[in-house]
């Protein structure tokens, strides 16, 4: 006769014709109460109150999870006599599922990809030193939502000062090396924790305050010259106790093609002063882009300012190695076909082989031959020969100066070749 009502719901039970929810026209949408796998049932009725059998359809609803977990409990002892403190309780809840826990000493919320997360609650935490400390507990879910933190304080008073020095458990070098950069294997242990490592050419024990300590064991050591080398290794702890040294020997033999390696100069910058042959003085920057072992040359770019000082103009220079060592060598280069330069770079380095300071000095000579006026018959074959000079001097600076942008074409080409 005619359909008078429509109903869509989540119940498989036939509804009464008088039930709530019937509409005169078919519904366009349906609002579920939660996500998950759902089944909807559709019904129809007529004016006489006859209700149809249902038709059903299924759907799975997956909503983006934007709700962060909540840390519900976190506690540690109020005081401790060791650097390793037990975590009495750590729990969290989430609308879907907690997937990670993190305990640290930072009040800054970590990212979901930060190091230190564990799938389950941690049972303890080791501090680096004694004193009044605060720990923060975090939780995350599979969507990467990170909770707010819950903090807990503790005061660590060590029963006695740490007087036990670390021990070097392994220190070795390859028996031979064809490079001045020698691979190092170094491991150490301590009753609390190793805080620093040093590998040196010197057999004298370093001070605990030395700037040469590194927080992790070095993977290699840069020697200054070939030959038989004995290196010494030390480790220290947070209390400043220094281990006994361990030594190892290697023989460095460089092949003729590798007698010089200037890669330690790649990326270095010099602030330079330029004195030209007409006695004018200017300033600029010299950037060492790369070392080319095939041509034994340093690819560099000299930056000088335009006349209006609005921009830096790059000029490619190829410093040809003549002789010396990485920390003191002679070079030469040709400047635009007009000047032939020769110069030196001398430097000092720390015990790790890292360059600390350096100076550059170069001087160029330009021979200009000018014929006299050809209309003067008495001097047709005469030549006026004179010498003009130009110098470039400078000192190493820590990094690229502000205001210099871009790279030269040679720098790009050199990096592509390498």
């Amino acid at each position: 006769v005619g359909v008078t009502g429509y109903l869509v719901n989540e119940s498989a039970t036939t509804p009464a014709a008088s039930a709530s929810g019937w509409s005169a026209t078919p519904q366009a949408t349906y609002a579920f109460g939660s996500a998950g796998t759902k089944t909807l049932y559709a019904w129809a009725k007529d004016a006489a109150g006859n209700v149809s059998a249902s038709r059903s359809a299924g759907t799975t609803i997956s909503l983006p999870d934007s709700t962060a977990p909540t840390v519900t409990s976190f506690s540690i002892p109020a005081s401790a006599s060791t650097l390793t403190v037990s975590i009495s309780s750590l729990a969290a809840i989430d609308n879907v599922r907690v997937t990670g826990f993190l305990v640290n000493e930072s009040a800054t919320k970590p990212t979901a990809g930060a190091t230190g997360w564990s799938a389950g609650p941690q049972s303890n935490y080791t501090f680096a030193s004694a004193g009044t400390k605060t720990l923060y507990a975090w939780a995350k879910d599979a969507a990467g939502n990170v909770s707010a933190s819950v903090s807990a304080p503790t005061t660590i008073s060590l029963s006695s000062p740490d007087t036990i020095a670390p021990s070097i458990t392994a220190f070795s070098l390859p028996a031979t090396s064809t490079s001045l950069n020698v691979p190092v294997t170094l491991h150490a242990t301590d009753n609390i924790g190793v805080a620093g490592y040093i590998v040196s050419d010197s057999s004298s024990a370093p001070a605990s305050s030395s700037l040469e300590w590194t927080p992790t064991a070095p993977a290699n050591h840069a020697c200054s010259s070939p030959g038989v080398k004995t290196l010494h290794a030390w480790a220290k702890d947070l209390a400043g106790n220094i281990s006994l040294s361990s030594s190892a020997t290697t023989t460095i033999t460089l092949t003729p093609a590798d007698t010089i390696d200037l890669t330690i100069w790649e990326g270095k910058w010099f602030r330079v002063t330029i004195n030209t042959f007409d006695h004018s003085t200017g300033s600029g920057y010299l950037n060492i882009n790369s070392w080319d072992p095939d041509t034994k040359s340093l690819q560099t770019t000299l930056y000088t300012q335009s006349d209006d000082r609005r921009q830096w103009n790059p000029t490619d220079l190829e410093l040809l190695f003549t002789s010396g060592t990485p920390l003191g060598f002679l070079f030469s280069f040709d400047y635009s076909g007009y000047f032939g330069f020769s110069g030196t770079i001398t430097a000092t380095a720390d015990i790790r082989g890292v360059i600390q300071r350096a100076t550059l000095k170069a001087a160029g000579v330009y021979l200009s031959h000018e014929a006299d006026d050809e209309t003067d018959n008495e001097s047709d074959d005469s030549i006026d020969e004179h010498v003009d000079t130009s110098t470039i001097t400078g000192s190493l600076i820590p990094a690229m100066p502000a205001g210099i942008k871009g790279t030269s074409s040679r720098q790009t080409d050199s990096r592509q070749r390498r």
Side-chain angles (χ1 to χ4, degrees):
V1 177
V3 177
T4 60
Y6 297 86
L7 176 63
V8 175
N9 62 18
E10 296 176 63
S11 174
T13 302
T14 302
S18 59
S20 61
W22 289 98
S23 65
T25 58
Q27 293 95 324
T29 63
Y30 182 87
F32 289 95
S34 62
T37 301
K38 306 291 183 178
T39 300
L40 280 185
Y41 299 87
W43 315 86
K45 70 175 181 177
D46 58 19
N50 302 304
V51 177
S52 70
S54 68
R55 291 291 297 270
S56 64
T59 186
T60 298
I61 301 173
S62 301
L63 299 178
D65 180 11
S66 59
T67 303
T70 299
V71 177
T72 55
S73 68
F74 175 58
S75 60
I76 58 177
S79 61
S81 59
T82 65
L83 294 177
T84 299
V85 176
S86 62
I87 297 175
S88 307
S89 67
L90 176 54
I93 58 173
D94 185 61
N95 63 319
V96 179
R97 182 169 63 90
V98 176
T99 60
F101 293 86
L102 176 64
V103 175
N104 61 20
E105 297 175 63
S106 173
T108 302
K109 179 181 288 189
T111 64
T115 60
W117 288 100
S118 63
Q122 293 93 325
S123 60
N124 57 65
Y125 182 87
T126 300
F127 291 95
S129 60
T132 300
K133 307 291 183 178
T134 300
L135 278 185
Y136 299 85
W138 316 83
K140 70 174 180 177
D141 60 21
N145 301 305
V146 177
S147 71
S149 68
V150 173
S151 62
T154 187
T155 300
I156 300 174
S157 303
L158 300 179
S159 56
S160 60
D162 178 16
T163 59
I164 301 176
S167 298
I168 303 291
T169 56
F171 178 55
S172 63
L173 310 172
T176 60
S177 174
T178 58
S179 170
L180 294 176
N181 207 29
V182 180
V184 170
T185 299
L186 175 58
H187 300 287
T189 60
D190 184 65
N191 62 318
I192 294 178
V194 178
Y197 300 84
I198 280 183
V199 173
S200 172
D201 299 74
S202 172
S203 60
S204 300
S208 61
S209 59
S210 171
L211 298 179
E212 310 305 328
W213 292 102
T214 58
T216 58
N220 50 64
H221 179 81
C223 295
S224 59
S225 60
V228 178
K229 302 293 179 180
T230 299
L231 300 183
H232 306 269
W234 288 269
K236 74 169 183 176
D237 60 21
L238 289 167
N241 301 305
I242 299 176
S243 70
L244 297 175
S245 69
S246 181
S247 62
T249 300
T250 186
T251 300
I252 302 174
T253 304
L254 302 179
T255 61
D258 297 324
T259 53
I260 188 66
D261 181 0
L262 300 187
T263 55
I264 61 173
W265 289 101
E266 293 180 342
K268 300 298 187 296
W269 285 83
F270 284 85
R271 167 74 175 179
V272 296
T273 299
I274 304 170
N275 295 297
T276 61
F277 66 89
D278 59 0
H279 306 296
S280 62
T281 301
S283 62
Y285 295 96
L286 181 74
N287 175 220
I288 300 179
N289 303 319
S290 63
W291 163 249
D292 189 332
D294 296 328
T295 60
K296 288 187 171 56
S297 62
L298 289 168
Q299 310 301 319
T300 74
T301 305
L302 177 66
Y303 292 90
T304 54
Q305 282 189 305
S306 56
D307 293 339
D308 58 8
R309 304 182 68 84
R310 292 183 180 180
Q311 66 180 9
W312 289 96
N313 299 320
T315 301
D316 291 328
L317 300 177
E318 185 177 46
L319 307 188
L320 298 172
F321 173 82
T322 303
S323 63
T325 68
L327 298 181
F329 58 89
L330 304 178
F331 63 85
S332 63
F333 67 92
D334 178 270
Y335 184 73
S336 302
Y338 297 106
F339 277 80
F341 277 80
S342 62
T344 64
I345 292 180
T346 57
T348 58
D350 58 26
I351 61 175
R352 295 172 296 172
V354 177
I355 296 172
Q356 298 296 302
R357 61 186 63 86
T359 58
L360 178 149
K361 296 181 180 179
V365 176
Y366 171 42
L367 297 177
S368 174
H369 301 274
E370 298 179 355
D372 287 344
D373 188 347
E374 294 182 358
T375 60
D376 186 350
N377 295 329
E378 295 180 358
S379 58
D380 283 346
D381 299 323
S382 66
I383 295 179
D384 174 26
E385 181 176 299
H386 62 277
V387 177
D388 293 324
T389 61
S390 180
T391 62
I392 301 175
T393 59
S395 299
L396 189 71
I397 59 176
M400 180 180 72
I404 292 182
K405 300 178 181 179
T407 58
S408 67
S409 60
R410 175 172 293 175
Q411 182 179 9
T412 302
D413 294 342
S414 174
R415 288 178 177 172
Q416 289 174 345
R417 289 199 307 271
R418 289 173 63 81

